[in-house]
Amino acid sequence: DGGITQSPKYLFRKEGQNVTLSCEQNLNHDAMYWYRQDPGQGLRLIYYSQIVNDFQKGDIAEGYSVSREKKESFPLTVTSAQKNPTAFYLCASSTLARVQGANVLTFGAGSRLTVL
Amino acid sequence: KQEVTQIPAALSVPEGENLVLNCSFTDSAIYNLQWFRQDPGKGLTSLLLIQSSQREQTSGRLNASLDKSSGRSTLYIAASQPGDSATYLCAVKGVGSNYQLIWGAGTKLIIKP
């Protein structure tokens, strides 16, 4: 079945460590996204990518980095510069619709990061 | 700047009731509005997408409406079931947003058996 796989589901990080969250999709989608979800808030966009080897910052990119070396993969690194990284992280993908706005997002199951 | 609000933050109703969830947005210049469902600790599932030119969309027991002029969308759930218990989020895509969605914080729905 086609879908998005995020790993790990749970991750614990010590202060000062970088951690990388994996996101893999087999939907042949061109666009991929990383969102952060905090309790009582809407999802906030961290980074997105529309094509291999290209990505753009979202609203809260500081302290995060991404790469898009393959169409199927869009890993997110949470660096030690991110001061409050404890959150639920969601990866999503979509087609690049010819009519802008028609692209429905497909989400992974999420990764919960906790800083110890 | 577009802002999306969902009120109430939580709602509890008995099984079998029809109910309405609300989503309001401040800028009527939108391409579309989407409703999603999120089960605890899980990702989001797209329920309905309404284009700016549409007034409503239906899928099974779900009906979503859009009134751009008043900045409102509603998600109507008919004959609610305990399996409908989840958090429901709406997201708006603005004109020229370059694939960015603006999200509401969601309404946590509990259907009591």
Side-chain angles (χ1 to χ4, degrees), chain A residues 23-96:
Chain A
C23 178
E24 303 277 334
Q25 55 100 357
N26 60 3
L27 299 166
N28 199 33
H29 284 170
D30 290 296
M32 297 187 73
Y33 313 79
W34 274 105
Y35 286 95
R36 170 177 171 145
Q37 187 177 33
D38 294 283
Q41 298 186 37
L43 275 67
R44 290 182 289 170
L45 183 65
I46 305 172
Y47 271 98
Y48 67 100
S49 168
Q50 299 176 42
I51 193 169
V52 174
N53 292 323
D54 186 51
F55 46 83
Q56 287 78 43
K57 294 181 179 180
D59 295 325
I60 56 166
E62 185 175 352
Y64 300 96
S65 65
V66 293
S67 63
R68 187 88 187 275
E69 298 177 359
K70 299 186 300 181
K71 185 176 182 178
E72 302 80 15
S73 179
F74 192 41
L76 173 74
T77 296
V78 184
T79 75
S80 57
Q82 170 50 236
K83 298 306 178 188
N84 185 25
T86 295
F88 190 55
Y89 291 88
L90 288 158
C91 179
S93 70
S94 73
T95 59
L96 288 178

Side-chain angles (χ1 to χ4, degrees), chain B residues 7 24-25 67 71 113:
Chain B
I7 296 174
S24 61
F25 48 95
D67 184 344

Side-chain angles (χ1 to χ4, degrees), chain A residues 35 37 42 48 101 103 105 108, chain B residues 32 38 43 93 98-99 101 103-104:
Chain A
Y35 286 95
Q37 187 177 33
Y48 67 100
N103 48 326
L105 293 177
Chain B
N32 62 40
Q38 185 177 29
K93 184 169 180 183
N98 198 25
Y99 298 99
L101 296 177
W103 295 79

